[in-house]
Amino acid sequence: MKTFFVSIHLPVACITVAAMLAGCGGSQPSIGAPGAMPQSTAFATYTLTRSVFGIPAPDSAKGGIYASENLSSGTGVFGYPNNDRRNGPPTCSENAASTYDIAVDGQGNLIVPNSLNTITIFKGPNMCGPKLGSFHTIWDDDYPVDATSTDAVSGTIAVGVVQDAATGVGSIELCTLKSGCKGNLLYGYRMNAVFAVAMNKRGDCWASSAEPTALTYFKGCSGSGQLATGYANPSAGGLDIDKNGNLVAISCSVVSCSTPTLYVYSGCKPKCKKIGGPFSLQGTSLYGHLNEDSSRFAAADYQYGQIDIYKYAPANIAYMYSFNNGLSSGERMGAAYNPRSKE
């Protein structure tokens, strides 16, 4: 298996992508952002509520927030209420370990990439539904870290592969739940280290990549791609699309994340126009997603081991609160609202 080396500028991250995919060790402090629940209270509640893990959500649980942990085994995705200001426990969970970013499709189905070359789909729109199936990346040594789809059950799923085993660079693999991954998108073998993907309702795709930091646009999620211009992010990071079609881009990857920030762009087909940012984030967040009306943004903050909630508008974001109840010492990597943004 090929090892993909990258330099790290944060002590909370692993030294190589290969090591990160195997799981990072070390404990993280409890709620670290201002205005959140004190550490002692959060830890005591976590101890008492650990037994809720592994149980399905009731049918009445129509929506909420998913949080994923980068663990080598066991439960890795947890469901929380839409509003968890009191730092309550998870209401349900999915047995999906070694996750990085997670996503919800337009139907409420949960998409979970696994570093062991597997992507799993769980049934929505209710939280923590049954497993619908899973599929593998094209090569056993591929590293899938992100995925997106408008319909993960019957449509195309775009999977972000940080390192394609065949080419040694990053790619977007094109997959379906029924047939698995049958092809991939490359930018002239120069789209290195893909850490995030986004897809709009028209089927256009974007890839956020590192070394060098770049945003690549694929019209119709096909072709050879175009390098986006006007893209100001100093680092790669998670992508999402708000209800107005704006691209929301985090600047913070395992390659470089000295100052985690968020940018908002219009266009990027391939010319980007910056309409918001850089907005400072509370802690180190690689990934995050918007809620249904694009009024809230949930970011997975692995510096403080919590999920940070922001009030979102294209021209401004404001920190609201954080929660961490029920999350273990594994690094928080992904957060996604169900239902997701109406792009």
Side-chain angles (χ1 to χ4, degrees):
M1 183 176 72
K2 297 181 180 179
T3 302
F4 181 66
F5 290 93
V6 295
S7 59
I8 302 298
H9 302 289
L10 286 171
V12 294
C14 293
I15 301 303
T16 66
V17 169
M20 186 182 74
L21 294 171
C24 299
S27 60
Q28 301 292 340
S30 291
I31 300 295
M37 179 168 286
Q39 178 176 348
S40 58
T41 305
F43 180 77
T45 308
Y46 157 74
T47 303
L48 292 172
T49 58
R50 187 73 179 183
S51 60
V52 304
F53 293 179
I55 65 173
D59 290 341
S60 59
K62 297 294 185 181
I65 302 173
Y66 286 111
S68 69
E69 294 185 298
N70 174 25
L71 302 175
S72 59
S73 63
T75 303
V77 179
F78 306 95
Y80 291 87
N82 264 311
N83 188 340
D84 198 9
R85 286 180 177 272
R86 295 182 178 273
N87 198 27
T91 58
C92 62
S93 64
E94 300 283 22
N95 187 14
S98 297
T99 54
Y100 283 75
D101 195 20
I102 52 177
V104 172
D105 72 2
Q107 320 304 313
N109 302 303
L110 176 64
I111 309 170
V112 182
N114 183 293
S115 60
L116 304 177
N117 78 334
T118 304
I119 296 86
T120 303
I121 311 300
F122 295 93
K123 181 176 175 57
N126 294 343
M127 295 291 287
C128 302
K131 177 180 175 180
L132 293 176
S134 61
F135 56 89
H136 296 291
T137 52
I138 296 175
W139 303 96
D140 289 342
D141 288 348
D142 289 347
Y143 296 147
V145 294
D146 195 13
T148 185
S149 178
T150 57
D151 185 351
V153 176
S154 57
T156 298
I157 303 168
V159 178
V161 175
V162 69
Q163 180 185 18
D164 185 292
T167 63
V169 297
S171 74
I172 297 177
E173 295 194 3
L174 303 177
C175 318
T176 63
L177 178 59
K178 181 179 179 180
S179 303
C181 301
K182 300 299 183 182
N184 61 358
L185 301 175
L186 298 164
Y187 180 64
Y189 296 92
R190 291 172 291 167
M191 191 170 68
N192 295 318
V194 171
F195 286 106
V197 292
M199 178 192 292
N200 65 15
K201 290 187 291 187
R202 294 185 177 183
D204 298 329
C205 288
W206 290 265
S208 172
S209 57
E211 295 190 331
T213 299
L215 180 72
T216 308
Y217 168 64
F218 294 89
K219 184 177 181 180
C221 223
S222 61
S224 57
Q226 296 173 279
L227 192 65
T229 59
Y231 180 67
N233 282 42
S235 301
L239 298 173
D240 203 5
I241 301 172
D242 71 15
K243 66 179 182 180
N244 298 314
N246 300 314
L247 195 68
V248 180
I250 292 178
S251 177
C252 174
S253 74
V254 294
V255 176
S256 175
C257 191
S258 57
T259 307
T261 51
L262 183 143
Y263 292 74
V264 182
Y265 302 94
S266 64
C268 296
K269 300 180 179 181
K271 184 178 181 179
C272 296
K273 179 182 179 181
K274 184 167 72 73
I275 60 175
F279 305 120
S280 296
L281 300 178
Q282 291 294 317
T284 306
S285 298
L286 275 71
Y287 299 109
H289 289 287
L290 294 156
N291 68 345
E292 185 175 20
D293 65 359
S294 296
S295 64
R296 299 289 183 269
F297 184 78
D301 180 349
Y302 73 82
Q303 181 178 359
Y304 295 116
Q306 62 196 29
I307 304 300
D308 298 332
I309 306 299
Y310 299 86
K311 184 178 181 179
Y312 171 85
N316 185 50
I317 70 165
Y319 170 76
M320 297 179 67
Y321 66 94
S322 302
F323 63 87
N324 71 349
N325 193 340
L327 296 171
S328 74
S329 61
E331 291 187 5
R332 259 55 64 193
M333 299 301 293
Y337 275 98
N338 177 29
R340 73 172 194 179
S341 168
K342 288 187 174 180
E343 302 168 0

